[in-house]
Structure formats: structure tokens, C-alpha cells
Amino acid sequence: MPHSFAPPPAPYGASSAVAPRVSEIRAELRFDAASAEARAVATVDFTTGAFDGKPALDLRQELLWVRLDGKQVSTDDFAHHDMGAGWAARTRVLDIDLPADSHHRLEVGYELATPDCEAAKPIGWTKGGVDFDMWMSDLYPGRYLEMWVPAPLIHDRFALHLDITLDGVDRPHKLVANTGGVDATPGGRHWSLMYPAHYTALSPMLVIAPAERIETRRSALRIPGRSRSLGLVVAQLADAGADLAACEADLSAWLSYLSARYEPWPHGDTFWALIWGASRGMEYDAATTSAVSALEHEVFHSWFGRGVKPARAADGWIDEALASWSTSSRRSENPRFLTEELGLDDPPVELYPPHPWSRNTAVGAYSDGVRLIGGIAHLMGGADRMRAALADWYRANAGKMVTTDGLAAHLKAWSGLDIGPWWARYVHGRG
Ligand SMILES: [Zn+2]
């Protein structure tokens, strides 16, 4: 499997910390509503990469025990380490030197509580009930799968199996996840999930709530370029207050339109949308958890962001800039498809955090990123030209990982324009 997007080894004492290649993660998550406590056991199968060193994997929970290849390891030897991108972007490093290209199994037991990262959400405990949401975010380091389950950075693809048990609950619960591989035990208290093996740490959606708090509608639609129908699951939490039939109609229209405009649909047989009361939205592979007002933006991400995925967190600005430029959102001050001259005398902007172990999307992507795309659209001769260039870029990369350099090279080759000075100033912040 290609591994070229892994960050390079980072200094760790006299040795170095290295990104492993994870093949499979299995985790048992057990929630006990009676004691308002949760625990987990996870197994990570990985191969070390091209370098000798100490493997880096993150988990933003408190460890109870650790084993490597069946042998006990002190939890102190799997502590957080600043890889050079700042403490917020810290990752755990196993303080054991492993030879390059060797296979290993890491097992960890841990308490499952509010993840130790910015703006994470606690597990919701109610009398006899559990409310759980992965609640991922691009904007803060450590806000992907590693909040709840040990995971690599987002360049790595792996099979993910979750076994989830609710104890101490007094009524059935519902689970909404973006995989067809869900085995539900009758009674709404236990599920076994297998997510597709091409998923990365930013792919899996998971929401659990008491069944009476989730309303669900199911339908199917025809989308261009696909012979079979696409299933559409639209659900909402009780506090969302949305018109679910109207959301379903809008989602069907956007899925159909985006399939016609960009093609191909790179995901499986279903799109899942969970509407919540929060004002934000989050994209997953063929799925979203979202406010009604953010739905169009989040559906767009199933093409740009989770259809073509950022190879590194630093590349995450691309999909936020493109989604904000292309869709209507009350968050944006700019009109859809902004086309406006952008000179080379505005203050420089850094949309691409330069450290290879950085782990967040620059927040300027939503505003400065839109101005950059609008400025390049102006240079190219209009929004239609930019949209056609983006459609070609998408089709060439659907299902793959994309980079900031790759997008620049494509736009340059497609248009024949030297966009280098704009990229240098408004992506890399060089004045
Ligand atoms: Zn977005």
C-alpha cells in the first residue's frame, strides 16, 4: 500500500518517533448508564514503516494498561509527545524501538470519558440512557477517531471494527453509523460494526441515543453515473426540530445535482444524514451530522473532503475553501461562486500549516480560502472555468488522497496560468 503521505520521523530523545501503517483496529466500547462510566479495550495491528523507531499512534483517553505483542508495557511508556507541531498536536509514542517493516499488535485498555482535546464533547448520561457522538472536527488537533479509539493520522487507511455494549439502560437505543456493516442485537443495547477498510481516521460517523430520541426516514434515489439506486437515511435528534421530509427532499436534490456535476459517487450504497440541534455540521464519508443550515455544505464534502480526502491535516483547507466557495451557507459572507480580483498586495495568509505533524485545518479556509478560490476563478476567466477545472481534478482523484501541491499543479496545467505567486502568498503565507 502506498504510504508516501506519512509524516517523516520526528526526534524522540536519541531515537525517533515514526508513523506506523495500521491495517486493522478492533475496539470494544462498553457504556454503563447505571454508573455513568464507560471503558474500552482496543487492539491495533500495524506494520512499522520504512524507518526504525518508536511508533506514534494517538488516543485522547486515560490509559489503564498497555500491551505490545502480548507483553505488558507501562502506561508511562505510551505517553503524549510533542512532535514539533505544538502540544495541541501531540501524539502518543510507544517508547520502544522497533525495526522498520515489522508487524506488531498493540492492545490498550482505557477509561472512556471526555477526550483530552479542544472542544470535545462528553458522553451524555441520562437516567437509563446514553447519548454518544464521535463529534469530530477538522479545526482542532486530536478530534478524529483518536478521541475514542487509538488511531493513526489521516494518511492511513485501515479496517475498523467496533463492538458496542450498553449496560444499565432501561430502554432500546438507536445507532446511526456510516457503514452497511452493522449487526444489531435485538433490544437496542448491542451492536457490532465493521467500517469499510478504505476509511481513515476522519471517516467513521457514529451516533447513539435512546430510540425515542431519534426519528428516521429512509428513501432511495437514482443518481447520475450509478446503475443501482442510492439509499438515503435522514435522521434527527429530538432537539433538532427539523422538517425531516423537507430535509430528505433537499438532500436528494443535492446528491443528484452533485453526482451530475462532478461524478462519480465514490462511496457505498447509502448516504446518512443526522440532523442535530447544534449550529455546526461535520462531514464523514457519505454522511454528515449537521444543522439544517449546513446540510448543503456537508453533502458537498462527500465529493470534496471525503470523496477526495486530504492526504494530511494541512491539506484540509482545500475542502473547506471549496465547500464554502461552492455552497450556500449562513456562515459565509460571500456569495456562492465568488469571482473577484485578488491582487498580490493583501496581507499574506497561511492556510497550510507547514509542520508535517500538524493536525488541523486552518480556520481561515472558510474566508481567506474562499477569497483565494474566487481570485483564481477571476484570473481563469470566471467561476464556470474554475468549476470545470475542479470537476476534472475531482474525477482524476475520486476515492484518492489529494494534496495542496497537487491542486496547484492541476490548476496551473488546466488553465495555463502561473498561479504560483497567489499560492505562495495566500496558501503558504509568504510575503
Ligand atoms: Zn466544511
Side-chain angles (χ1 to χ4, degrees):
M1 189 178 282
H3 201 55
S4 55
F5 299 127
Y12 188 104
S15 178
S16 51
V18 295
R21 302 170 192 174
V22 172
S23 54
E24 186 174 356
I25 301 171
R26 306 177 75 87
E28 293 173 31
L29 313 181
R30 188 172 277 271
F31 299 81
D32 184 355
S35 61
E37 284 176 348
R39 288 204 170 188
V41 174
T43 303
V44 182
D45 288 317
F46 67 93
T47 305
T48 52
F51 305 94
D52 297 348
K54 303 173 192 294
L57 288 161
D58 205 9
L59 172 63
R60 296 300 180 104
Q61 298 285 340
E62 194 158 326
L63 301 176
L64 296 171
W65 54 264
V66 181
R67 280 199 289 265
L68 180 71
D69 300 329
K71 291 192 197 102
Q72 194 85 20
V73 174
S74 161
T75 54
D76 292 342
D77 289 336
F78 190 36
H80 275 108
H81 180 69
D82 181 350
M83 309 293 273
W87 181 245
R90 65 195 176 277
T91 184
R92 288 186 186 275
V93 176
L94 195 63
D95 194 6
I96 298 174
D97 282 292
L98 299 175
D101 289 315
S102 54
H103 301 282
H104 302 278
R105 172 168 288 183
L106 177 73
E107 296 164 276
V108 289
Y110 51 100
E111 287 178 30
L112 207 56
T114 307
D116 184 15
C117 42
E118 191 161 348
K121 194 173 162 170
I123 298 167
W125 302 107
T126 52
K127 190 173 181 308
V130 178
D131 286 270
F132 178 79
D133 185 340
M134 291 263 198
W135 192 254
M136 290 189 191
S137 170
D138 296 321
L139 298 179
Y140 308 106
R143 286 289 304 277
Y144 294 132
L145 182 62
E146 64 272 19
M147 277 192 288
W148 308 104
V149 173
L153 300 189
I154 61 171
H155 60 275
D156 207 2
R157 301 177 191 269
F158 50 84
L160 173 64
H161 179 112
L162 298 180
D163 191 87
I164 297 168
T165 304
L166 308 183
D167 292 323
V169 295
D170 59 11
R171 54 204 189 277
H173 282 56
K174 255 192 202 173
L175 174 146
V176 183
N178 57 341
T179 172
V182 181
D183 270 345
T185 306
R189 289 164 169 80
H190 177 254
W191 301 266
S192 178
L193 293 81
M194 183 72 86
Y195 290 91
H198 61 264
Y199 274 18
T200 71
L202 49 63
S203 299
M205 176 178 81
L206 178 62
V207 174
I208 301 167
E212 81 269 9
R213 294 212 333 106
I214 301 188
E215 178 194 357
T216 306
R217 285 178 69 96
R218 290 168 197 279
S219 57
L221 64 144
R222 290 266 164 207
I223 56 171
R226 190 183 149 89
S227 55
R228 281 184 296 173
S229 62
L230 179 71
L232 174 59
V233 176
V234 189
Q236 70 169 327
L237 292 172
D239 64 342
D243 177 342
L244 221 49
C247 292
E248 182 184 271
D250 284 346
L251 287 163
S252 295
W254 289 320
L255 287 164
S256 184
Y257 156 66
L258 291 167
S259 298
R261 189 66 183 81
Y262 297 110
E263 280 191 64
W265 173 252
H267 305 289
D269 292 336
T270 307
F271 182 90
W272 292 266
L274 182 112
I275 320 286
W276 59 24
S279 60
R280 63 183 290 254
M282 184 61 197
E283 66 277 16
Y284 299 91
D285 290 37
T288 180
T289 43
S290 179
V292 172
S293 61
L295 272 177
E296 185 193 356
H297 175 111
E298 304 305 341
V299 175
F300 183 88
H301 276 313
S302 266
W303 277 260
F304 295 89
R306 298 298 178 266
V308 295
K309 290 190 173 77
R312 310 173 192 92
D315 299 302
W317 74 271
I318 297 173
D319 55 79
E320 293 310 343
L322 297 183
S324 303
W325 184 74
S326 303
T327 65
S328 159
S329 166
R330 70 175 181 199
R331 278 173 65 174
S332 172
E333 312 122 34
N334 294 310
R336 191 192 298 252
F337 306 133
L338 174 79
T339 307
E340 193 172 87
E341 185 169 8
L342 176 62
L344 286 169
D345 46 6
D346 282 9
V349 176
E350 187 177 276
L351 295 178
Y352 185 96
H355 198 283
W357 289 85
S358 68
R359 294 173 62 179
N360 64 293
T361 293
V363 72
Y366 299 90
S367 49
D368 299 315
V370 168
R371 283 178 55 242
L372 172 66
I373 300 300
I376 295 176
H378 184 267
L379 278 178
M380 289 168 77
D384 288 353
R385 300 257 306 151
M386 172 59 89
R387 293 175 69 204
L390 293 175
D392 284 347
W393 181 68
Y394 173 78
R395 279 192 282 272
N397 292 288
K400 298 181 190 160
M401 299 202 172
V402 292
T403 65
T404 299
D405 287 349
L407 177 58
H410 171 79
L411 292 176
K412 195 172 169 183
W414 196 94
S415 67
L417 294 166
D418 179 15
I419 61 164
W422 280 265
W423 222 250
R425 190 172 188 88
Y426 301 119
V427 175
H428 296 295
R430 294 181 200 130

